[in-house]
């Protein structure tokens, strides 16, 4: 049976697709704004994914249909240049560009892309898009790269082609995600380990709370935080710390007079968040979700007060969660300034919690949030489609 996207592909290009690749969006349990500071993160892949259906061409032309936008674009591989244009097609071009920059000569393709990861919602739809394409292209052209390299090239596309200086967390989890597991990653060494996330066994669910707030400033504020955190690290280094992972809050307190209050708070977030990730891993090992939840609340406070990446719409989740029986923990997720948060909630209390959140947001005149329970899905996959398909 052909699915509807394969039919669309055949209609658009007059041929059959040969490969279907996909990659997930993500939540991050904890470890926010630590990846680009060479720290620890603990994300998990979600069931929402982006898909890339493609067939090779004989020339060096690429034609892509983005079904979610009902838009098509075409470009030639010989004229790829980063541009200022913020458009989905730049992410597609960026992946071709990053692979060619790494020395792989690609051919053209015809492709259809679509997905159900909500855009600009803090669930990393861009990494899902990038990784689905890199997974598809490497499989289509028989390029054998280690999975770490796939994640890094996808990040390079976003950093150097699209111009968003993100860390590695989103691309890494999109490649390495595993069903019902969270992934602990040391963003400096890229050492990682999967830990089972026994939610249903413990009658718990993870709620994603999408504020529906999309902040245009997110990109520039994000880059500003990167820069501030790196200035704070220079001062820590001048006082003997090797890096953020090696720094302690004790040292930070000692050298407080040597830094501005702003840099002090940025450093305090990064150092304390790294410690919270490590404590969260300990909690996960014993299914101690009460302890994990408490760390989530602390993470939100730190992101709100010290790193200053929250917003009133996200704070509603935290404040409501703190006082709601059955909510073990809640925090903003991803870059912040809007987008989504997550909460760990007793399943029997999920519906009531959603109702309460909507009422609280409504009382404050905020947009109605979209709340959905998520499940933890697989990382990137690519399958070759059989040539002859039955109807
Ligand atoms: C965005 C970036 C990630 C990470 C988070 C904040 O999602 O893409 O690399 O920095 O923000 O933790």
């Amino acid at each position: 049976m052909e699915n509807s996207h394969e039919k669309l592909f055949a209609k658009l290009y007059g041929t059959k697709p040969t490969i279907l690749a996909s990659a997930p969006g993500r939540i991050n349990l904890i470890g926010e704004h630590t990846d680009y500071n060479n720290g620890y993160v603990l994300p998990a892949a979600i069931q929402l994914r982006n898909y890339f259906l493609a067939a090779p061409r004989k020339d060096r032309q690429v034609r892509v249909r983005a079904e979610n936008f009902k838009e098509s674009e075409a470009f030639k591989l010989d004229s790829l240049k980063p541009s200022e244009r913020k458009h989905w097609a730049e992410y597609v071009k960026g992946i071709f560009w990053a692979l060619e920059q790494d020395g792989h000569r690609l051919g053209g393709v015809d492709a259809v892309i679509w997905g159900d990861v909500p855009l600009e919602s803090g669930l990393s739809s861009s990494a899902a898009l990038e990784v689905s394409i890199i997974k598809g292209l490497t499989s289509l052209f028989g390029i054998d790269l280690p999975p770490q390299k796939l994640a890094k090239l996808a990040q390079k596309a976003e950093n150097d082609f699209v111009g968003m200086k993100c860390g590695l967390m989103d691309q890494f989890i999109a490649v390495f995600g595993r069903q019902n597991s969270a992934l602990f990653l040391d963003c400096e060494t890229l050492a990682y380990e999967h830990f089972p996330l026994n939610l249903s066994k413990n009658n718990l669910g993870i709620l994603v709370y999408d504020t529906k707030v999309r902040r245009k400033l997110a990109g520039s504020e994000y880059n500003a935080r990167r820069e501030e955190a790196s200035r704070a690290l220079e001062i820590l280094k001048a006082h003997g710390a090797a890096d953020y992972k090696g720094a302690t809050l004790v040292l930070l307190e000692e050298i407080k007079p040597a830094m501005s209050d702003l840099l002090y708070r940025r450093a305090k977030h990064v150092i304390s968040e790294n410690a919270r990730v490590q404590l969260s891993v300990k909690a996960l090992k014993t299914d101690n979700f009460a302890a994990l939840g408490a760390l989530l609340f602390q993470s939100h406070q730190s992101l709100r007060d010290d790193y200053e990446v929250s917003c009133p719409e996200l704070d509603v989740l935290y404040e409501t969660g703190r006082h709601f029986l059955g909510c073990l923990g809640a925090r903003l997720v991803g870059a912040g300034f809007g987008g989504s948060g997550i909460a760990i909630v007793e399943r029997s209390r999920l519906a009531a919690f959603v109702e309460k959140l909507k009422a609280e947001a409504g009382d404050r005149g905020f947009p109605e949030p979209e709340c959905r329970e998520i499940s933890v899905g697989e990382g990137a996959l690519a399958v070759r489609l059989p040539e002859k398909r039955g109807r």
Side-chain angles (χ1 to χ4, degrees):
M1 251 321 246
E2 278 180 332
N3 71 30
S4 61
H5 291 98
E6 289 178 43
K7 281 194 184 132
L8 171 70
F9 189 101
K11 194 166 142 216
L12 285 171
Y13 304 122
T15 173
K16 281 177 184 286
T18 50
I19 198 112
L20 173 62
S22 67
R26 60 107 189 86
I27 52 162
N28 183 17
L29 285 177
I30 199 158
E32 219 64 87
H33 289 275
T34 44
D35 62 351
Y36 57 80
N37 287 311
N38 278 337
Y40 305 121
V41 292
L42 191 59
I46 57 177
Q47 81 275 23
L48 307 173
R49 301 178 79 83
N50 195 78
Y51 297 85
F52 175 75
L53 192 60
R57 293 169 57 92
K58 295 210 163 63
D59 56 13
R60 299 244 305 152
Q61 183 169 13
V62 177
R63 296 188 295 180
V64 195
R65 169 79 176 174
E67 199 37 24
N68 291 61
F69 300 109
K70 304 271 180 250
E71 282 178 17
S72 300
E73 287 259 332
F75 55 89
K76 293 203 165 64
L77 291 180
D78 293 316
S79 52
L80 286 179
K81 262 198 261 43
S83 88
E84 294 287 290
R85 183 174 168 237
K86 293 284 166 254
H87 188 261
W88 61 264
E90 300 307 308
Y91 290 83
V92 181
K93 291 179 193 172
I95 295 296
F96 281 90
W97 175 85
L99 277 167
E100 292 225 320
Q101 289 273 311
D102 196 50
H104 311 284
R105 175 134 178 119
L106 305 174
V109 300
D110 288 328
V112 173
I113 56 182
W114 73 98
D116 55 9
V117 190
L119 302 182
E120 294 175 8
S121 64
L123 300 178
S124 204
S125 58
S126 46
L129 172 62
E130 293 151 9
V131 171
S132 65
I133 300 172
I134 201 161
K135 189 81 185 168
L137 291 180
T138 47
S139 166
L140 204 56
F141 295 107
I143 302 169
D144 193 17
L145 290 175
Q148 283 87 345
K149 184 77 190 215
L150 289 185
K152 283 184 130 180
L153 285 177
Q155 182 201 21
K156 181 183 167 75
E158 184 152 349
N159 282 179
D160 302 339
F161 198 92
V162 180
M164 170 71 190
K165 302 287 177 203
C166 62
L168 186 60
M169 168 172 72
D170 302 348
Q171 291 78 11
F172 204 92
I173 185 66
V175 172
F176 284 86
R178 189 181 284 175
Q179 200 94 42
N180 297 326
S181 299
L183 176 119
F184 171 78
L185 171 67
D186 178 333
C187 297
E188 185 199 358
T189 61
L190 301 194
Y192 66 92
E193 194 174 346
H194 288 97
F195 290 97
L197 199 50
N198 294 320
L199 290 165
S200 46
K201 203 168 114 189
N202 288 279
N203 301 317
L204 296 170
I206 293 188
L207 185 76
V208 167
Y209 174 90
D210 182 351
T211 59
K212 295 279 173 186
V213 176
R214 306 289 185 253
R215 289 269 151 82
K216 291 268 169 295
L217 269 181
S220 56
E221 288 290 331
Y222 183 90
N223 290 344
R225 292 302 176 282
R226 275 197 82 132
E227 202 252 326
E228 290 157 3
S230 104
R231 269 165 44 213
L233 179 59
E234 285 316 307
I235 303 174
L236 281 161
K237 280 183 172 168
H239 291 82
D243 52 21
Y244 270 123
K245 285 188 300 186
T248 61
L249 290 176
V250 175
L251 171 69
L252 183 67
E253 288 307 316
E254 270 169 32
I255 66 169
K256 195 173 174 186
M259 12 167 78
S260 67
D261 177 59
L262 185 130
L263 292 192
Y264 162 79
R265 286 184 292 118
R266 301 298 188 253
K268 182 170 162 230
H269 168 71
V270 180
I271 297 170
S272 61
E273 187 78 349
N274 276 334
R276 282 187 288 271
V277 177
Q278 289 175 300
L279 290 170
S280 298
V281 167
K282 265 196 187 159
L284 266 190
K285 281 182 181 161
T286 53
D287 280 2
N288 188 345
F289 286 98
L292 177 67
L295 291 159
L296 262 61
F297 282 135
Q298 287 169 26
S299 168
H300 186 91
Q301 283 166 20
S302 176
L303 289 159
R304 182 192 61 191
D305 303 337
D306 290 335
Y307 220 65
E308 294 181 286
V309 294
S310 190
C311 63
E313 293 85 350
L314 282 166
D315 292 340
V316 168
L317 170 67
Y318 164 83
E319 281 152 21
T320 310
R322 284 218 71 126
H323 299 110
F324 192 87
L325 200 68
C327 173
L328 277 60
R331 58 182 288 277
L332 71 85
V333 72
F337 311 105
S340 301
I342 54 163
I344 302 179
V345 189
E346 283 170 18
R347 302 214 61 205
S348 59
R349 298 283 288 153
L350 259 171
F353 187 46
V354 168
E355 215 171 283
K356 178 77 176 156
L357 285 168
K358 290 193 170 164
E360 293 289 334
D363 285 352
R364 291 167 173 81
F366 296 158
E368 180 170 340
E370 192 177 329
C371 299
R372 58 171 125 200
E373 191 185 349
I374 58 101
S375 54
V376 176
E378 283 290 341
L381 297 166
V383 287
R384 282 210 163 258
L385 300 169
E387 289 208 346
K388 288 225 161 47
R389 319 198 82 203
R391 288 193 171 248

